[in-house]
């Protein structure tokens, strides 16, 4: 049974960034927007800035903010999820890259200085839309406590490399999927800092036991957004057991509308 959305999101600096005096280069946003009929639309966005790019923290924040603004503008004009096509994403990506080019010129740098990935999930009562450039992953649940990935993390030619939304060929690397007919009750988005914990590489599957406690706790929250839950999520992302597995920045978005 579907209920109102409950969600939480957080981005936490990795220990390697702490040691090197670097900012958190991950960014995330999640909001419940309304369509012209007053129906809820979940919009969740994650971006991971490239560790080798000096302004990637700005790039990741900008791509999340611009995409959320774009969705709000689209819905404000009376359009809906039927208009969020692959062409919509490519057009918006071109706009984002123009904004990055302006900022690169101001900083006397290059667009590569702002390199960042892009993951998003848009879920309404009618359909689910997913898009991704680069690594990290989106995981969904259609059955209780069973989780499946949407796109396997997009790796580059070499180990620990990936693709970025700031790249000239980003449009070619855009992964897009629209689903209808099988309702998505829960969704998680995360940056590559959590990949080794959340995904099972040998079987190329989502590690369902990793997600179950997070969603079980989220379902029990009375509010759509709980400060207490968010603080618990931040504490988990910065905890010693997690930092022993990864020294990278970590971002996690969780949302549920499961009412049973």
């Amino acid at each position: 049974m579907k209920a109102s959305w409950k969600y939480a999101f957080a981005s936490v600096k990795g220990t390697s960034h702490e040691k090197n005096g670097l900012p958190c280069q991950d960014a995330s946003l999640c909001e419940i927007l309304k369509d012209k009929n007053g129906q809820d639309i979940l919009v969740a966005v994650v971006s991971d800035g490239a560790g080798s790019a000096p302004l990637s923290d700005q790039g990741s924040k900008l791509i999340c903010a611009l995409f959320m603004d774009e969705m709000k503008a689209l819905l404000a004009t009376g359009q809906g999820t039927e208009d969020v096509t692959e062409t919509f994403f490519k057009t918006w990506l071109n706009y984002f890259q123009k904004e990055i080019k302006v900022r690169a010129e101001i900083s006397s740098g290059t667009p590569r200085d702002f390199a960042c990935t892009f993951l998003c999930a848009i879920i309404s009562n009618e359909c689910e839309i997913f898009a991704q450039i680069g690594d990290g992953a989106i995981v969904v649940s259609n059955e209780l406590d069973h989780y499946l990935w949407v796109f396997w993390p997009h790796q580059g030619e070499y180990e620990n490399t990936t693709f970025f939304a700031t790249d000239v060929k980003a449009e070619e690397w855009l992964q897009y999927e629209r689903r209808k007919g099988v309702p998505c009750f829960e969704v998680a988005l995360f940056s590559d800092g959590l990949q080794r914990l959340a995904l099972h590489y040998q079987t190329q599957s989502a590690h369902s036991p990793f997600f179950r406690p997070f969603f079980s706790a989220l379902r029990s929250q009375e509010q759509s957004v709980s400060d207490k839950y968010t603080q618990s999520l931040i504490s988990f992302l910065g905890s010693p057991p997690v930092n022993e597995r990864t020294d990278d920045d970590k971002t996690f978005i969780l949302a549920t509308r499961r009412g049973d």
Side-chain angles (χ1 to χ4, degrees):
M1 182 179 72
K2 286 187 286 190
S4 299
W5 283 106
K6 299 174 183 178
Y7 64 94
F9 63 100
S11 296
V12 172
K13 187 190 297 190
T15 54
S16 64
H17 287 208
E18 288 281 4
K19 291 176 183 177
N20 296 318
L22 296 173
C24 179
Q25 294 169 323
D26 278 12
S28 53
L29 284 176
C30 186
E31 289 190 41
I32 306 301
L33 307 182
K34 298 284 187 181
D35 67 11
K36 61 185 177 183
N37 299 314
Q39 299 297 311
D40 288 346
I41 298 179
L42 176 83
V43 181
V45 195
V46 165
S47 180
D48 179 3
S52 59
L55 300 174
S56 66
D57 60 311
Q58 296 181 34
S60 62
K61 289 184 179 69
L62 182 65
I63 199 168
C64 290
L66 288 182
F67 187 78
M68 190 65 73
D69 288 347
E70 187 73 11
M71 284 301 302
K72 289 177 179 178
L74 178 137
L75 296 172
T77 62
Q79 299 180 84
T81 51
E82 67 276 5
D83 300 292
V84 186
T85 62
E86 186 171 4
T87 299
F88 165 87
F89 277 100
K90 290 181 177 180
T91 300
W92 173 80
L93 184 60
N94 183 260
Y95 165 69
F96 166 71
Q97 291 187 342
K98 287 180 179 178
E99 289 294 313
I100 287 295
K101 186 177 180 181
V102 170
R103 284 163 173 75
E105 291 173 351
I106 292 172
S107 64
S108 299
T110 68
R112 179 64 178 74
D113 294 337
F114 296 82
C116 57
T117 63
F118 174 72
L119 303 88
C120 87
I122 302 165
I123 303 176
S124 69
N125 289 335
E126 288 73 37
C127 70
E128 299 92 42
I129 299 165
F130 308 101
Q132 182 166 335
I133 299 172
D135 54 17
I138 305 167
V139 167
V140 298
S141 172
N142 306 114
E143 302 175 28
L144 182 63
D145 292 339
H146 183 61
Y147 301 93
L148 302 168
W149 50 267
V150 178
F151 308 112
W152 192 252
H154 208 175
Q155 303 292 332
E157 183 178 357
Y158 304 103
E159 183 72 18
N160 296 323
T161 63
T162 190
F163 304 106
F164 300 108
T166 48
D167 293 342
V168 175
K169 293 185 177 181
E171 187 176 301
E172 299 176 23
W173 299 323
L174 173 69
Q175 299 181 91
Y176 171 88
E177 185 171 333
R178 174 188 292 269
R179 299 180 179 182
K180 294 186 70 174
V182 181
C184 170
F185 289 100
E186 295 178 327
V187 61
L189 294 82
F190 50 94
S191 59
D192 73 329
L194 289 179
Q195 282 177 193
R196 296 291 173 179
L197 286 79
L199 301 176
H200 193 277
Y201 277 72
Q202 286 185 318
T203 59
Q204 207 168 84
S205 61
H207 186 49
S208 290
F210 173 79
F211 294 99
R212 286 170 188 154
F214 290 104
F215 280 111
S216 177
L218 184 59
R219 289 177 214 135
S220 70
Q221 301 302 306
E222 295 183 0
Q223 302 169 304
S224 60
V225 182
S226 165
D227 290 339
K228 182 178 179 181
Y229 185 95
T230 300
Q231 287 304 313
S232 295
L233 186 61
I234 292 170
S235 295
F236 165 77
L237 294 174
S239 66
V242 173
N243 288 330
E244 287 171 5
R245 297 283 302 275
T246 174
D247 63 358
D248 198 2
D249 295 339
K250 298 163 288 286
T251 287
F252 208 3
I253 295 180
L254 298 123
T256 183
R257 59 174 172 176
R258 188 174 289 284
D260 50 357

